[in-house]
Amino acid sequence: MPDAIEGTFDARGLKFAIVVARFNSLITDRLLAGAIDALTRTGCNPGDIDVVKVPGSWEMPLTVKALAARKRYDAIIALGAVIRGETPHFDYVAGEAAGGLARVALETGVPVAFGVLTTENVAQAMDRAGAKSGNKGFDAAMTAIEMATLLRRLREKAK
């Protein structure tokens, strides 16, 4: 049986940027706290975490791309909350944020963990920001750690 190449959940020595939307800050502040908790709990030095605040989820792809271009981070975590309203605005913002963040990861090779909630209402968002459904900021940070360590292993194996 061939060996599987996997990432780990050891954040020691890794550097992260967290891009967090100020819009819906009641939710995003909780996501941010969850992400920082996950990173520090798995060994990341708090000095190796940069938090960058943007107006909303729409502004994330450009900001994440600028951060990825610096080649300073092992992974970037994007945190936001897009809550459906009575207009199609939700569809445009959620779709473009998701697509833009995915493109940045593919274009730059820097993992971008998607922690942007897309919910029908505030109650669902609160549930995903630390209430009934766990904290998706924590989950996104764990994904970032796993992807950063996986890509590091893939690069080492290629040498």
Side-chain angles (χ1 to χ4, degrees), residues 3-26:
D3 287 335
I5 302 169
E6 298 180 81
T8 68
F9 297 104
D10 182 357
R12 289 177 294 176
L14 299 176
K15 295 183 185 323
F16 297 91
I18 304 173
V19 177
V20 60
R22 287 191 318 267
F23 195 79
N24 289 320
S25 63
L26 176 67

Side-chain angles (χ1 to χ4, degrees), residues 1-86:
M1 180 109 189
D3 287 335
I5 302 169
E6 298 180 81
T8 68
F9 297 104
D10 182 357
R12 289 177 294 176
L14 299 176
K15 295 183 185 323
F16 297 91
I18 304 173
V19 177
V20 60
R22 287 191 318 267
F23 195 79
N24 289 320
S25 63
L26 176 67
I27 309 297
T28 62
D29 288 349
R30 293 170 185 229
L31 295 173
L32 176 59
I36 292 170
D37 179 38
L39 295 174
T40 57
R41 198 183 285 204
T42 56
C44 186
N45 180 335
D48 289 332
I49 304 167
D50 290 337
V51 176
V52 179
K53 295 194 174 188
V54 295
S57 296
W58 180 264
E59 292 77 22
M60 286 185 177
L62 177 61
T63 306
V64 170
K65 187 172 183 177
L67 290 167
R70 294 173 69 188
K71 304 213 182 289
R72 180 185 189 300
Y73 303 104
D74 295 289
I76 300 171
I77 303 159
L79 303 175
V82 184
I83 300 169
R84 188 177 298 280
E86 296 178 7

Side-chain angles (χ1 to χ4, degrees), residues 80-84 90 93-95 98 114-121 124-125 128:
V82 184
I83 300 169
R84 188 177 298 280
F90 169 92
V93 172
F114 189 74
V116 179
L117 303 180
T118 54
T119 63
E120 295 294 321
N121 53 55
Q124 287 178 349
R128 289 162 178 77

